Amino acid sequence: MNGGLVPTAMDYELDAEVTLSGVPATPGLVERLVPELAAEALRKTIGPRGEGRLAKLVSDGPVLRLVLESSGARPHQALLALVRRLGEELGRTAKVGVRSFRAPVYRIRFPMDPVPKGPLSLPIPHEFHMDGPVGVLELKDLPEEALRDNWADRTTQLLQEKAKRQAYEGKEQYWALLRPAVPREPSFRGDPTEEMLRRQWVRSGPTKGKWFLGPTAAHLLRTMNRIAVREVLTPLGFQEVVQPHHDSFEILQKTGHLEGLPGEFYYVTEPKTRDPAAWERFTDLVKITRKVPEEELAKLVSPPSAVSCYAQCPTIYWWLSGRTIATDSLPLRIYDRSAISNRYESGGRHGLERVDEFHRIEPVYVGTPDQLVALREKLLERYAHVFDDILELEWRTAWVTPFYMQQSGGVGVEDAQAQVKGTIDFEAWLPYRGDRATSEWLEFQNLSIVGEKYTKAFTIRAQKGELWSGCSGIGLERWLTAFLAQKGLDPDGWPAGFRRAAGDLPPELRFL
Amino acid sequence: MNGGLVPTAMDYELDAEVTLSGVPATPGLVERLVPELAAEALRKTIGPRGEGRLAKLVSDGPVLRLVLESSGARPHQALLALVRRLGEELGRTAKVGVRSFRAPVYRIRFPMDPVPKGPLSLPIPHEFHMDGPVGVLELKDLPEEALRDNWADRTTQLLQEKAKRQAYEGKEQYWALLRPAVPREPSFRGDPTEEMLRRQWVRSGPTKGKWFLGPTAAHLLRTMNRIAVREVLTPLGFQEVVQPHHDSFEILQKTGHLEGLPGEFYYVTEPKTRDPAAWERFTDLVKITRKVPEEELAKLVSPPSAVSCYAQCPTIYWWLSGRTIATDSLPLRIYDRSAISNRYESGGRHGLERVDEFHRIEPVYVGTPDQLVALREKLLERYAHVFDDILELEWRTAWVTPFYMQQSGGVGVEDAQAQVKGTIDFEAWLPYRGDRATSEWLEFQNLSIVGEKYTKAFTIRAQKGELWSGCSGIGLERWLTAFLAQKGLDPDGWPAGFRRAAGDLPPELRFL
């Protein structure tokens, strides 16, 4: 349906070219058969939702040129059906098959809302312009794969998404205070990383944005880890898993991470071979020149095929993929704390707060919507216990929703607290950044319910009923930084609950 | 010294070409100055260890062609000194400088032991042949960098090393039983990975040779982790550190891993930029085609610049690099258990025993030779306690030395047990592989003292005296596999000590 906008034109116009394996001996066979089969194909594929017609047919030796037009549904579906039937009929009656097909041009008219503010690019041959509120797209030279694989719909969706992004560019993420902070007098006002460096607790690592934690800092990070498990996860029945820390491209395509964040991954490449003979030239060059011969190395490794863990939940969903979870195992509550997260942070690095490598515990929960809402309440309660009673932090929570989610599903400012799907951020004041009212607080943890997005993407089913999922990111370096930024590095300034959890600090190593 | 083998020829003959910034106005200046400065340079650089001479000098406009010959020491050192002095003198007297220099040919005669069995390759232009027991090498077209950076010595060392490798090819690693196994009746004879797969305790991961451990398997791996820390490391005063899990090339060059094992690394590559605009084409192609466009991705990432952790000790040595450790902090005892190890295993993968990704605790110790020998005894004692009293394994230890170490320093079979530097392997019988006498046992742990190799490479010093180091690899997947292979997956078959350490197993998840 073109919504009555342009009543003289169909929404879709597909110029197709079908190549046969030969010319049927019977003259006129093709001219008789194609209209008949096209009508059948259009009726079956377009019929229920719109109208369509074969607008043109020219045969030129073994090549058939035809135009399929339609409204309300896409004519490439009709073409696929037509080609299949044509192959069957010609094979049976004339010993001729369909060798290949392609579309020199595919014209699509579709309403755009919002209308784009500027030019939109596409990585495949095309022309595009707006006709009032209607986008007019001409895809050119589409191979068979593109028709079978429905590039048409993905392309129009992509244009729509880009127009939406243009509309929201520069707008901030939605943020609404949920639980206000209780002010606490900090016992320290310095930058904790600077102070840790001064005391040789940490050393800035050998590669970008990564840190080496000496015994004291490691002890404190491990204490945070233990607090999270003992005080939050174990009491709520979460079980630990140990997951691979390489995320496959396939998994990241299913979650949407690969298309969403490709510039933030550390990619992993494998050697093409383990054979020492193949590596001899590389090895010899390293030995003689004491430098790494980049070009030689590039020849010996495969293209990137995975990424170093970005978040743990994608691979946890993969683990459950294709499985049906028994009712008595719901809500499924698991967590991983072994995979190490890597993010290419580029310019944004600062101390241990914003790093390229960090240790996170990621609880993932899968259950009915009601189970997850109830579990979220319990998680919020346990987290509050940790931050109030053990770490004694000045912290707050906020409901955050990226702009694109604010649109879809009508997440409005007014009813944010009533929302079920979405993310809660936990933020801590960093006194060294300045006044609590005006400085930027540190997001040190989050908690989400994502609905059925991932259970659907990974085909995870419940024995019965709807199955939702969610996750929470416990950033241990961020817990540590938030704590040290407010309480300082001297145990005297630490709350009793944390001192108890930390136990004796390791003896300090002495370097001269 | 050529050892009197070829008394008529010098060991080294360097054809050099020095290009001046101009031709000095005074005729004959160069012809007078160069022999004088060459004599001075030869005296200072070759003099103390051998003899040398300027064998030829031809000046051709601004280009000087000269030949330096020597025995006992390398003439490129004399060339460097000559060039420096020549630049000074010509600058002062004739306002002419040295623009560049190179060596069209560098001939080197050196005794080889062993004599190569077959052809030896080099990755730079050269000719090579044997003259009896003497290698005759002609390096060609060496740039200035090669002369400054002493490629000559590294090249002859490399040829020698290759000849040695040829001599030992096919010989097995040295292995001598240290502590024989006490036979124990296994309570299980199956392949533990097969059984874990059957019970859905593990799932073969989304990328090669990596596993996802569900709650029960993760609980058991975590139990092994806890046993190692509680029973071995904490009682002996080891402190935990948390290290980055990317190893830089620089670190791996210092340890020798990069030239030794380049085909076994998983390499890490960074995005060239985080800018979403630069990634738009990639992102759009993923969205439209649902495939990862490899060529597009290759353009957007940098060449590999690091590897995913291979072993933890290199980065621990890096952490200590350049530091002087106070006497009262020795022996330094630390361990990391957060970095995850990756090895590209290719064909050798089997179950959880031989994987591309594993979790290892790596204790590293740095101290005087006496301290390390004493510590090794204590470690052996604590390990024996774990394997005998808690896991109740059938295990043995062996002294192992790679062939190249058997040569240097005279590590002989007869006095293996008396050796100080070297590696002890811990091996467990895997009943499913067959008879204990004939089947291959699993190396599930090792322990080494490496002497001053790494303390020297990383410039780690003691407040006073000699400083050695060593490390031990506690492979948690291997502990687990060895245990399950002998004891099975049913807690009824487990020794009481392990059952106590493991506590309650998590409730099994039910999948339909």
Side-chain angles (χ1 to χ4, degrees), chain A residues 145 154 161-162 203 208 222 240 245 270 274 280 284 287-288 291 319 324 344 512, chain B residues 145 154 161-162 203 208 222 240 242 245 270 274 280 284 287-288 291 319 324 344 512:
Chain A
E145 177 199 7
R154 295 197 201 133
E161 183 192 314
K162 288 185 179 210
R203 190 167 188 167
K208 290 178 197 160
R222 186 61 66 182
E240 184 172 9
H245 94 292
E270 295 173 9
R274 246 181 135 226
E280 189 170 351
D284 288 352
K287 287 181 184 173
I288 293 174
K291 293 196 181 85
W319 169 58
T324 302
Y344 187 71
L512 304 181
Chain B
E145 178 199 6
R154 295 196 200 134
E161 183 193 314
K162 288 184 178 211
R203 189 168 191 168
K208 289 178 196 160
R222 185 63 65 182
E240 183 172 9
V242 172
H245 95 294
E270 296 173 7
R274 248 181 133 224
E280 188 170 353
D284 288 353
K287 287 181 184 173
I288 294 174
K291 292 196 182 86
W319 169 57
T324 301
Y344 188 71
L512 304 181

